[in-house]
Amino acid sequence: MSSGTQSAVRYDRDADGIVVLTLDDPTAEVNLVNDLYRESMGAAVARLERERDDGPGVTGVVVTSAKRTFFAGADLRSLSRAGPEDATRVFAEMEEIKAQLRRLERLGRPVVAALNGAALGAGLEIALACHHRVALDAPRTELGLPEVTLGLLPGGGGVTRVVRMLGLYAGLVDVLLTGTRFTPGAARELGLVDELVDAAEDLLPAARAWILGHRDNQHAAAQPWDRPGYVMPGGTPADPGLAAVLPALPANLRKQTHGAPYPAPRALLSAAVEGASVDFDTACRIESRYLTRLVVGQTSTNMIQAFLDLQAVRSGALRPPGVSPFRASRIGVVGAGVMGAGIAGAAARAGIEVVLQDVDAESAERGRARAAATLADRVSRGRLAPERQDEILARITTTGDPADLSGCEAVIEAVFEDQALKADVHRRVEDVAPRALLATNTSALPISELAAAVRRPEHFIGLHFFSPVDRMPLVEVVKGAKTSPETLAEALDLVQQLRKTAIVVTDGRGFFTSRVYGTLLLEAAAVLGEGVDPQSVERAATTAGFPAPPLAMLDEVSLTLARSIRRAATAAVEPDRDPPPDEPGTAVIDRMLDELGRAGRAAGAGFYDYPAGAGKRLWPGLREHFGRRATLPLPDISERYLFRMALETAGCFEDGVIGSAAAANVGSLLGIGFPRLYGGVVQYMQGYEGRTGRGLRGFVARADELAAAYGDRFRPPRFLRELVEQDRRFPH
């Protein structure tokens, strides 16, 4: 069935003539579209065609899996390595895979997919080529076509079949453009699966029963689009009713992406609309052409790399080896404000008993009420079953007495950002919980200095949670000078237990995320100070792919805090070293505070106005006070934002603050909103495509151009130049 002795598809025929094709790649933990699968499926389909009418014949076919998941999708590592020179090969392989599935669905016998686990991407495409789909109704059974989230589109016939099953508009809006991963129940309601079973052992019997009940029904052995008289649900693009609503799709797409250059949604929209206007096989070829263009392009490489980096970080790539796993059953959280309540709520949702302590019982109880409000919000949005709300809240015990922290395996301090206050809290915690992991939630205070206040600095670590804790997935784990590998491993295990994603950084000014994010905000202020219209300042960020405009974010941070952080960084410089020069944007912030009295959203006035009962709007006074003296190309402004963050990241590597490209990519995407289409801040540099060249060499050349035009803050650090000179990449 394949070259050599290995096959990824087992072929078994029973006494009733039902053939079970079991997907089981012997070379991998999950089933993937790779060379072995392609050979094996081709051989299996050819054998089905040979044996269909020979001897006892073939009554029907069941496609199932021997893995925990049905099929994991494409081999992303292989796809990410494809470049423009591989376009012919990529297209041919896609067409071969599609042809196999087309032959399967036109076999003339009923074919059933028995989905024993997740069927994502190519996995669902295999199932869609079957005439009937039975799925195991279990939490781990996810079904969907998430390719668009990786800069791709479904290329195994997924676009063509979904459009013909659900209709063009519903297929795009409900499935393809969203990349949604559906539960089995939701997939059945939508029509992606036909039948659910509650137990894995019921899958094959249900599939066999459907085949035996339909073996003499030729109607059941053909897809709807292959039957006489088929009409596409909702009509084709030529139908007046559909033609009237189709123009709204690209407009909505542009609105959702803020005009950022994401090629996959546009290609998907084009493939679906063009494919709906032609016959099935031509539509499949159109789909392959669009996917080929995406596969060999840089954006899909970037977004796939981000996915792989996230997998690596979540699987423990940053965890010190050889340390026993740590799992907490009871932790303490000191400080019941917004952050403390958020951390306590996250821990309780993860099944951990929490002692929430504050200066008095009343303050602690207010924190518990905050956690309760967050849970109620999750219930209202359908993200939490109502019956679980009280169960989770019962895990949070409130107290004003530090002694109640006794017996906690870890204590996370989340009080106000004051070094003396935090030091005092940790000394008291250490007295009552002498063996606990000691952690501080801070975005900027030096971990090593805080650790100096405790007797066990090797057990002390920073955990920088992001607000709101309920929604932000990242935690920055900050090592102090004396933090032990065991403590680091335990902290990473605890963050994973809280269902968050952790990156590891070393103590230093602003750590990684705050330091890099600050450059974006200051650069936006600098551009405004140069006289660029404020609307252009904001638009340059959103069209580059940033999720929010930077002046608005600076208002959220507060201009007062931004200045305080800058002054603290200057004060922390050692006496024998020159303080860092003020960035151009600092003059704008100082003027906004000292002359114009506008400190940000919390003060009700910043770069934006915040009228009661209405949405925020850019303050008209920005044009009056900062003028409209300059007209810069919007792409230049966008690049300035991206380059400042990227160059600061290179500086973090040079200073030893961060040492992993995967961590930097994940941190920039999950923590500070770096545009997803670039795959993260390091991937942006390594995958750079511009007039000055590609990769790090092209990036450095462009940085020098920006430095000549806009200032020395765009000069690449020595670390980056050495990577280029030595033809190396960032450490992964």
Side-chain angles (χ1 to χ4, degrees), residues 259-330:
Y262 284 93
R266 295 198 299 270
L268 205 162
L269 185 58
S270 298
V273 173
E274 292 172 27
S277 304
V278 296
D279 65 89
F280 185 93
D281 294 315
T282 303
C284 282
R285 283 195 297 277
I286 290 171
E287 179 186 292
S288 293
R289 291 187 180 117
Y290 275 108
L291 179 55
T292 298
R293 193 178 306 168
L294 293 174
V295 167
V296 303
Q298 186 61 44
T299 300
S300 67
T301 299
N302 293 341
M303 296 179 75
I304 290 171
Q305 186 60 55
F307 177 79
L308 297 175
D309 287 340
L310 185 60
Q311 281 191 321
V313 167
R314 286 178 172 169
S315 65
L318 305 178
R319 191 182 189 276
V323 181
S324 299
F326 171 79
R327 188 167 183 84
S329 57
R330 184 170 184 262

